Amino acid sequence: MTTAPVIHNDVEKCVDAIIEKIGKDIKFGMPLGLGKPVHLVNALYKRAKADPSIKLVIATALSLEKPAAAPGLESKFMGPFVERLFGDIPDLEYMVDLRKKALPPNVEVTEFFFKAGAFLKDDKQQQNYICTNYTHAVRELVALGVNAVSQIVAKKEINGVPRYSLSSNPDTSLDLVPILREQEKKGRKIAVIAEVNNNLPFMVNHAEVGEDEFDLILENPVYEYPLFGAPNMAIMPADHMIGFNASTLLRDNGTLQVGIGSLGSALVYSAILRHKNNALYNEIMDDLKLEERFPVISELGGRGTFEKGLYGCSEMMVDGFMHLYKAGILKREVFDNVDIQTLLNEEKITQNVSLSTLDALVEQGVLPTTLRAKDIEFLKQYGIFKRSVDMKGGCLLAGDQTIDPTLEDDNNRALIAEHCLGDKLKGGIVMHGGFFIGPKDFYQDLRDLTPEENEKFCMTSVKYINHLFDHEFGDQKLKVAQRQDARFINSTMMYTLGGAAVSDGLENGKVVSGVGGQYNFVAMAHEIDDARSILNLKSYRTTPSGPKSNIMMSYGHCTIPRHLRDIVVTEYGVADLLSKNDQEVYIELIKISDSRFQDELLSEAKAAGKVAKDYQLPDIYRHNTPEKLLATYNKYKAKGLFDPFPFGCDFTQEELQIGKALKGLKAKTATRSGLLKCMWEAIKINMVPEEFSHLMDRMDMSDPSNFKAKLEQKLLVSELIAQKT
């Protein structure tokens, strides 16, 4: 399709145009996360609510919602915070009604990935969930019969021509739209719609498209709203230790995938610590005896700085990648030519161009000894030759200089070196990402990239990133060459001693989040010789009935089957499970489990015949306790390390203090006995100490008007006093 799109400045007229184009049976696809066209989907949803003859299916993933709070103390705390951060961002109205269980019968919402835990109590959404790998999302949308797709885009005029950026979400669009266009050629009615929001960073490379990508464009400044910013989560002590342990597995000149959340941020923090304060980083490694206890670190990782740097290849470009970029770590550039990439990997060339670059390309069979016109274009594309060099009449033209293109002649070589060669290879990419979501300063960092820097970041198809199959942007051989020494790092909730990971759901069938790309990255790690899959895991969780191990004998659901076991990292260490027999796998996992559960786990393993009856766990692995971990954490926190918010915080100092107290209160009141004890302490409070009066003002609790409000005030003050002492 090359017809110019119809541009609308009124969302209702845009909805009219969609219905006119495809009818009232609308299967509306939107990208995961940030890229949803909020105004358009809201107007379309309202239209369906008002007109029962419209049948609307909304197919997407990870519908972003403003944080909700339970009534009472939590609401008083969260209300002003949410208004400050999200007040100017419109709600997804289908999500508001979905939460109220008020979706009309002619509207259905189906997703393939949830915000973690968001729909555990929603039977309808559990039923509508589509279980799939992220790379298969396009397949599922096609199978669903999607006939309209839309997302927000950024717009620029370049040399008077409008250009659009898929920005945060080229992840599925780049593969889905061509399929829909092929269906359209066969007579199917299709609509591809853009909603312009220039708050989006204008990402180039694969994300940049022309106006012919779209049938309809909704463009009006009144519809532009601030981007949904995901606040930085606090990195807790155990998170920091997991991140530190995982950072020891990174290899300079390698590749990194990292997921969202505090564990990903903790890894980024420790990687920067390793690079910026290497002496202190090594002190911590020695203090923890990590290489002694876990030899795999010396085999796979390192403790040095990132002189050559890392390349990011991650389905989600988290804000951590920008922190790595600013720290001078995310700097290994990869190229879309397998021969150039292979020569770089083998260190037969560098990014600095010289005659040896040409010689290596000749030896590789990429270039003949006598250059041809097509060779000149190739060399100019990658910066090996200057853009001004041309070929005419069988000779190289460089300004006024005419040069014979034979590379074996010393005189020709000298002239080529002087007049033709560029300075550095061009077209290098430091980051391939499928989508991004993050805090607001992350979006600003992306907007602030210079044009040259922007070229180094390539938002692209998730099918290109998440597995090795050939793709129009690069075949398997190229992907393997780019992804050398890859560390594909994700998080998991639980892990069985047999080697299976539980990351997306529970054994009762409830979906917590979704498979996403985790399976793809795990499988890909097994297909690349020097790649490893690393799953980060908190060793235990706190429940109302006490702590429970997240490493267990067995579990009735798995996301990653045990035959794809690889590396597991907890706050206590690193378990290398690859190519190990079952006894070794069981023992390696018990070594990194919390010591409160080690005897039970070992007994279960022995009872099942998986570990020899006379095996004794060495004493060096017998001290995995929260108390010892906290002592180590506090030792280095006193030296200025392991800040809970190293990359900024959206909470004020007052809010941090209140939030800590509310978290403590919630934990203490989780049981009936704990609740009664807290209430007993609370009723002893006669007045609010002066030092907490400003906190009561922040919570609008300075002058409670009834018994319930007075009790809530006393409970909060009691906990603030307890935490101070």
Side-chain angles (χ1 to χ4, degrees), residues 350-354 357 382-386 420-426:
T350 69
Q351 286 188 244
N352 295 319
V353 173
S354 66
T357 308
Y382 292 100
I384 301 168
F385 271 12
K386 298 173 183 175
C420 298
L421 290 183
D423 297 320
K424 293 192 70 174
L425 293 178
K426 293 182 179 178

Coordinates of all heavy atoms in Angstrom, one line a residue, residues 350-354 357 382-386 420-426:
T350 N 39.9 -4.0 14.0 CA 39.3 -3.2 15.0 C 38.4 -2.2 14.4 O 38.3 -2.1 13.1 CB 40.4 -2.4 15.8 OG1 41.0 -1.4 15.0 CG2 41.5 -3.4 16.3
Q351 N 37.7 -1.4 15.2 CA 36.9 -0.4 14.6 C 37.6 0.8 14.0 O 37.1 1.6 13.2 CB 35.9 0.1 15.6 CG 34.8 -0.9 16.0 CD 33.7 -0.3 16.8 OE1 33.5 -0.8 18.0 NE2 33.0 0.7 16.3
N352 N 38.9 0.9 14.3 CA 39.7 1.9 13.6 C 40.2 1.4 12.3 O 40.7 0.3 12.1 CB 41.0 2.2 14.5 CG 40.6 2.8 15.8 OD1 39.8 3.7 15.8 ND2 41.3 2.4 16.9
V353 N 39.9 2.1 11.2 CA 40.1 1.7 9.9 C 41.5 1.9 9.4 O 42.1 3.0 9.7 CB 39.2 2.5 8.9 CG1 39.5 2.1 7.4 CG2 37.7 2.1 9.2
S354 N 42.1 0.9 8.8 CA 43.5 1.0 8.2 C 43.6 0.1 7.0 O 42.6 -0.6 6.7 CB 44.5 0.6 9.3 OG 44.4 -0.8 9.6
T357 N 42.5 -3.4 7.6 CA 41.1 -3.7 7.5 C 40.8 -4.3 6.1 O 40.1 -5.3 6.0 CB 40.2 -2.4 7.7 OG1 40.6 -1.8 8.9 CG2 38.8 -2.8 7.8
Y382 N 30.1 1.0 5.4 CA 30.6 0.8 6.8 C 31.7 1.7 7.2 O 32.4 1.5 8.2 CB 31.0 -0.7 6.9 CG 29.8 -1.6 6.8 CD1 29.5 -2.3 5.6 CD2 29.0 -1.8 7.8 CE1 28.4 -3.1 5.5 CE2 27.9 -2.6 7.8 CZ 27.6 -3.3 6.6 OH 26.5 -4.1 6.5
G383 N 31.9 2.8 6.4 CA 32.9 3.8 6.9 C 34.3 3.5 6.6 O 35.2 4.2 7.0
I384 N 34.5 2.4 5.9 CA 35.9 2.0 5.6 C 36.5 2.9 4.5 O 37.7 3.3 4.6 CB 35.9 0.5 5.1 CG1 35.4 -0.4 6.2 CG2 37.4 0.1 4.8 CD1 35.1 -1.8 5.8
F385 N 35.6 3.3 3.6 CA 36.0 4.4 2.6 C 35.1 5.6 3.0 O 34.0 5.5 3.5 CB 35.7 3.9 1.2 CG 36.8 3.2 0.5 CD1 38.0 2.8 1.2 CD2 36.8 3.0 -0.8 CE1 39.0 2.1 0.6 CE2 37.8 2.3 -1.5 CZ 39.0 1.9 -0.8
K386 N 35.7 6.8 2.6 CA 34.9 8.0 2.8 C 33.8 8.0 1.8 O 33.8 7.5 0.7 CB 35.9 9.2 2.5 CG 37.0 9.3 3.5 CD 38.0 10.4 3.1 CE 39.2 10.5 4.0 NZ 40.2 11.4 3.5
C420 N 41.5 7.6 0.6 CA 40.2 6.9 0.5 C 39.7 6.4 1.9 O 38.5 6.4 2.1 CB 40.3 5.7 -0.4 SG 40.6 6.1 -2.1
L421 N 40.6 6.0 2.7 CA 40.2 5.4 4.0 C 39.5 6.3 4.9 O 39.9 7.5 5.1 CB 41.4 4.8 4.7 CG 42.0 3.6 4.0 CD1 43.2 3.0 4.9 CD2 41.0 2.4 3.8
G422 N 38.4 5.8 5.6 CA 37.7 6.5 6.6 C 38.5 6.4 7.9 O 39.6 5.8 8.0
D423 N 37.9 6.9 9.0 CA 38.6 6.8 10.3 C 38.1 5.6 11.1 O 39.0 4.9 11.7 CB 38.3 8.1 11.1 CG 38.9 9.3 10.4 OD1 40.0 9.2 9.9 OD2 38.2 10.3 10.4
K424 N 36.8 5.4 11.2 CA 36.3 4.3 12.0 C 35.1 3.7 11.3 O 34.5 4.2 10.4 CB 35.8 4.9 13.4 CG 36.8 5.4 14.3 CD 36.3 5.6 15.7 CE 36.0 4.4 16.4 NZ 35.5 4.5 17.8
L425 N 34.9 2.4 11.7 CA 33.7 1.7 11.1 C 32.4 2.5 11.5 O 32.3 3.0 12.6 CB 33.6 0.3 11.7 CG 34.7 -0.7 11.3 CD1 34.5 -2.1 12.0 CD2 34.7 -0.9 9.8
K426 N 31.5 2.5 10.6 CA 30.2 3.1 10.8 C 29.1 2.1 10.8 O 29.2 1.1 10.2 CB 30.0 4.2 9.8 CG 30.9 5.4 9.8 CD 30.6 6.4 8.8 CE 31.6 7.6 8.9 NZ 31.3 8.6 7.8

